[in-house]
Amino acid sequence: MKKLLLVVSITLFTVSAMAQSKNFLDTPYLETSARVDTLVSPDKIYLSITIKEKDSKGRKSVEEQENKMAQSLKDLGIDVEKQLTIKNLASNYKKYFLRSKDVLKSKQYSLLVYDGLTAGKVMAALENIDIANTYLEKTEYSKMDDLELTLKSRAVKKAKFKADALTKPLGQKVGMAIHIVDNSQPYYPRYNQPRMQMKAMSMEDAGAPEPLDIGFEQIKVESTVNVKFRITE
């Protein structure tokens, strides 16, 4: 008896699904797609900083360089407790011929800044204390989720506008949307993608202690939707 009820239920579900599909196909509709995009400047810039004992003059310890770096960043108004994080800590053992082993330690950090000018100041300040292992790690836009929702809404409105333009010459009207597909690709942070362009001359060339103004490539964000609208007389 249970098997019979199960078979009947499956049959009814299949018939219902076929009926809905048939009704969908029998409904006059217009299918259109739309894409919108915009450019935004990154407001979260991550710099990777590496301190190594073997890279410093006079074999300064990692801890000594770390303290100098922290003070330099504080002098720039950076909150090191919130914006500076340690990525990894490593110790490498290297043997110099028949001499005893030396321990060469290194530390890698990730520093978050919020504009290109500050990034330029950081790079210049670290270079002044002989920390040159600094490079752009990634860039992000902090309000990306809100921006993507706004673009999706604009894309749907654009699809509706296109549908109205296509049906108006026919004396028909666009009704409610009966099917919407969001074909937008999610945005992922860019790792080592933006090009750091030096907008100002270097301090040595300019002859003045001016910080570097680093411009970052803007982030392109786009949204694409596919919409089926019911057509009415």
Side-chain angles (χ1 to χ4, degrees):
M1 186 64 180
K2 291 183 178 180
K3 292 184 178 180
L4 178 60
L5 290 176
L6 180 60
V7 172
V8 172
S9 298
I10 294 176
T11 303
L12 290 176
F13 175 79
T14 304
V15 172
S16 176
M18 293 177 61
Q20 291 179 5
S21 177
K22 186 175 185 299
N23 291 337
F24 176 78
L25 294 176
D26 289 344
T27 301
Y29 70 88
L30 169 67
E31 181 176 356
T32 184
S33 62
R35 182 180 67 86
V36 296
D37 60 68
T38 189
L39 293 173
V40 293
S41 297
D43 58 3
K44 296 180 71 175
I45 301 163
Y46 293 85
L47 299 177
S48 178
I49 305 170
T50 303
I51 294 179
K52 296 181 179 180
E53 284 185 351
K54 63 181 180 180
D55 286 346
S56 63
K57 296 179 180 179
R59 190 62 59 78
K60 295 178 183 178
S61 68
V62 167
E63 290 75 18
E64 183 179 355
Q65 296 180 75
E66 184 179 47
N67 290 332
K68 286 186 176 181
M69 176 185 68
Q71 186 58 52
S72 297
L73 296 178
K74 290 178 181 178
D75 292 341
L76 295 175
I78 294 175
D79 188 341
V80 294
E81 293 184 359
K82 295 181 179 180
Q83 296 174 239
L84 183 67
T85 57
I86 297 178
K87 297 175 64 177
N88 59 51
L89 172 64
S91 296
N92 298 319
Y93 293 86
K94 186 174 182 180
K95 188 174 182 179
Y96 294 93
F97 299 102
L98 299 177
R99 291 181 296 177
S100 60
K101 297 180 179 179
D102 291 338
V103 180
L104 303 179
K105 294 189 297 184
S106 67
K107 271 188 179 182
Q108 189 174 15
Y109 310 81
S110 180
L111 177 67
L112 169 63
V113 296
Y114 304 104
D115 57 77
L117 182 58
T118 302
K121 290 180 179 180
V122 168
M123 296 177 70
L126 295 182
E127 187 175 357
N128 288 337
I129 58 175
D130 297 325
I131 299 177
N133 292 321
T134 305
Y135 66 91
L136 175 66
E137 183 179 357
K138 64 177 179 178
T139 59
E140 295 179 359
Y141 180 62
S142 60
K143 299 180 181 178
M144 184 60 67
D145 291 341
D146 293 337
L147 179 59
E148 288 180 332
L149 290 176
T150 299
L151 291 180
K152 293 178 193 298
S153 178
R154 285 175 50 191
V156 171
K157 290 179 180 178
K158 184 177 180 180
K160 176 64 164 54
F161 181 81
K162 291 173 63 176
D164 288 334
L166 290 171
T167 55
K168 186 176 181 180
L170 304 175
Q172 296 176 312
K173 295 182 179 180
V174 176
M176 63 180 294
I178 56 179
H179 192 238
I180 302 176
V181 178
D182 181 9
N183 294 319
S184 307
Q185 296 296 322
Y187 171 81
Y188 298 100
R190 294 186 175 187
Y191 288 83
N192 299 325
Q193 287 293 329
R195 296 184 297 271
M196 297 198 307
Q197 301 171 346
M198 301 301 180
K199 293 183 177 179
M201 298 174 63
S202 67
M203 293 189 294
E204 294 181 357
D205 294 336
E210 293 294 331
L212 299 176
D213 187 1
I214 302 177
F216 295 89
E217 183 180 18
Q218 289 187 305
I219 301 171
K220 184 177 182 180
V221 189
E222 60 182 40
S223 181
T224 305
V225 297
N226 185 280
V227 188
K228 293 182 175 67
F229 294 98
R230 187 187 303 275
I231 298 178
T232 60
E233 297 295 335

